[in-house]
Amino acid sequence: MVSQDVVFFAEETGLVRYCIVYDKRLNNADRRSAEIVLEGFSKLDVRDYEKDCLRVRARMLTNRVTNKPVDSLVIALTGHALQEPVEKDIKATHINKQAMETFDKGKKKFHCRLPDSTIVMEAEEYCRRYYIEQGEYTHGEHWEGSIITTIFTLLFWDIIYAELRGVRGIFITPYQKYPLDLFTESFYWNRQCLIEDRLNNMEKSSVEDLIPSMKKVWDTRPECELSDIQRKKMNWDKIEAISKCLGNRSLAIICRRLALDYRYNHSGFPDLTMWNPLTKQISFVEVKTDSDKPSIKQIQWMRYLQCNNINTEFCYIGTNTTKSKARNVNN
């Protein structure tokens, strides 16, 4: 593997894993590791989100105390590392709450006092209740990416499952959940005209124009059918309310990111969806306890939402939520 020139990209960019092989398995390979990272930035076919993964590795190489690359490489890496998407740039809410003492390494849990009892909750549920109690949002669910993949599937059902002229082999059995190219780059390129037309129509239409087509798919597809429509987690009324809160422009923005690379972007979405159907306020919240760190995927999604004026934020819960220098402590 070390000598091969072609490295395939997977969950993280393949060049990052290639670099790690040099770093961890070979002696005095810091120079080659740095060269691999810089090579990735120079490649035209490396996408922006893959470069974000490389920026993380560039920062780690430049911050080393031992086995540090030579100065010329450090200077080159530093320029790229400074462009790394950072947690601190995203709005944050801090909740000071002591977690329960546990003897295992599972998720932290918190006591929540009700008028007549005390119950135990995981961090996401506690934060969901906290936001509702603050009054800005009346509803909230811990759906992670299920809500956006459901909305995307409802809006693009006919395109996702279209029999494309000149494209063979994407449907080989009536029992498959997805077309076989959904988790490849070919999904977008095989349907580029259809996808772009749909996105343009979404931006020009009102959300009231989009909802009937979504409702039609929801009503006409059998409940037992395999797809990314998450009927067990959510009902139509909630999907409709969230779509109205987002509006046609934000729906198009979210769907565009999924359509361009569904394999990478279908995960990493914030934990909580909070909304108020009366004020049309909506926010997507990523919950972290004291020691939790967000993945690069989560930061990428939140930065994308923030750059497109869609409310998103971190919610830190614990007794030392401001200890990490990587976190935003001003909100």
Side-chain angles (χ1 to χ4, degrees):
M1 175 180 176
V2 171
S3 61
Q4 69 186 25
D5 293 327
V6 179
V7 180
F8 293 98
F9 290 88
E11 191 67 17
E12 283 187 333
T13 179
L15 286 173
V16 171
R17 292 202 303 276
Y18 194 16
C19 173
I20 292 173
V21 170
Y22 270 96
D23 248 3
K24 303 296 183 183
R25 304 302 177 195
L26 301 177
N27 294 326
N28 300 319
D30 47 284
R31 180 186 181 90
R32 182 58 184 143
S33 297
E35 289 173 347
I36 292 169
V37 172
L38 293 172
E39 177 187 348
F41 288 116
S42 66
K43 288 180 176 291
L44 297 178
D45 58 344
V46 177
R47 291 164 289 187
D48 287 342
Y49 72 77
E50 292 168 335
K51 289 182 179 179
D52 284 340
C53 297
L54 290 173
R55 291 182 181 108
V56 174
R57 179 57 48 175
R59 172 178 52 79
M60 295 174 68
L61 288 169
T62 57
N63 289 344
R64 278 186 171 175
V65 177
T66 60
N67 294 329
K68 198 168 186 175
V70 296
D71 289 346
S72 59
L73 291 176
V74 169
I75 293 171
L77 289 171
T78 301
H80 294 292
L82 291 174
Q83 301 175 49
E84 178 190 352
V86 292
E87 184 179 354
K88 188 178 291 187
D89 291 340
I90 298 169
K91 180 183 175 183
T93 294
H94 294 261
I95 301 175
N96 186 19
K97 178 69 176 177
Q98 178 68 53
M100 295 173 56
E101 291 188 11
T102 57
F103 299 97
D104 55 33
K105 295 183 179 180
K107 298 183 72 173
K108 291 185 177 180
K109 293 181 171 56
F110 299 84
H111 281 120
C112 179
R113 292 187 178 182
L114 301 179
D116 55 352
S117 63
T118 299
I119 59 176
V120 176
M121 296 179 177
E122 292 186 349
E124 292 83 3
E125 177 62 16
Y126 189 95
C127 293
R128 186 189 72 84
R129 283 176 172 262
Y130 172 86
Y131 277 92
I132 292 176
E133 288 173 359
Q134 298 306 300
E136 185 175 3
Y137 303 105
T138 57
H139 297 72
E141 295 290 347
H142 179 200
W143 282 329
E144 299 182 357
S146 297
I147 181 61
I148 59 166
T149 55
T150 294
I151 289 175
F152 175 75
T153 305
L154 291 172
L155 284 166
F156 285 77
W157 179 277
D158 55 330
I159 296 175
I160 294 171
Y161 295 99
E163 293 188 9
L164 304 172
R165 187 175 182 180
V167 180
R168 297 181 179 180
I170 58 175
F171 294 105
I172 58 176
T173 170
Y175 303 107
Q176 66 190 68
K177 185 175 182 179
Y178 311 108
L180 295 182
D181 64 345
L182 181 62
F183 290 85
T184 71
E185 294 180 17
S186 299
F187 174 78
Y188 173 78
W189 297 113
N190 286 340
R191 302 163 179 79
Q192 183 179 12
C193 292
L194 295 172
I195 289 172
E196 291 300 331
D197 285 346
R198 179 63 50 83
L199 291 171
N200 289 334
N201 288 335
M202 288 173 64
E203 291 177 355
K204 295 175 183 177
S205 304
S206 67
V207 70
E208 285 75 17
D209 296 328
L210 301 176
I211 286 176
S213 63
M214 296 170 65
K215 183 69 161 61
K216 182 179 179 181
V217 174
W218 179 271
D219 289 340
T220 57
R221 305 313 306 180
E223 290 189 17
C224 60
E225 190 172 51
L226 294 175
S227 73
D228 264 349
I229 299 175
Q230 304 292 333
R231 296 178 185 270
K232 292 182 179 180
K233 293 184 178 181
M234 59 196 73
N235 58 42
W236 168 253
D237 290 339
K238 291 180 179 179
I239 294 171
E240 181 180 19
I242 289 162
S243 299
K244 288 181 177 179
C245 288
L246 281 169
N248 60 305
R249 176 185 168 276
S250 294
L251 286 172
I253 286 168
I254 290 172
C255 287
R256 175 175 291 280
R257 192 163 195 262
L258 289 170
L260 287 172
D261 194 338
Y262 193 86
R263 176 194 62 80
Y264 187 83
N265 294 322
H266 80 286
S267 59
F269 199 75
D271 294 313
L272 303 180
T273 300
M274 307 299 306
W275 74 97
N276 186 330
L278 298 178
T279 63
K280 298 295 189 291
Q281 290 294 311
I282 189 167
S283 183
F284 300 103
V285 182
E286 179 63 33
V287 176
K288 296 296 178 189
T289 55
D290 285 338
S291 58
D292 287 344
K293 294 181 180 179
S295 68
I296 186 65
K297 269 190 178 184
Q298 291 170 336
I299 295 177
Q300 286 170 334
W301 252 118
M302 297 180 79
R303 183 179 63 172
Y304 180 79
L305 295 172
Q306 187 170 267
C307 289
N308 286 285
N309 298 316
I310 301 173
N311 291 333
T312 186
E313 64 180 75
F314 282 106
C315 181
Y316 301 114
I317 180 170
T319 54
N320 292 298
T321 60
T322 60
K323 186 176 181 180
S324 172
K325 294 181 180 179
R327 295 179 172 181
N328 186 336
V329 299
N330 297 320
N331 293 307

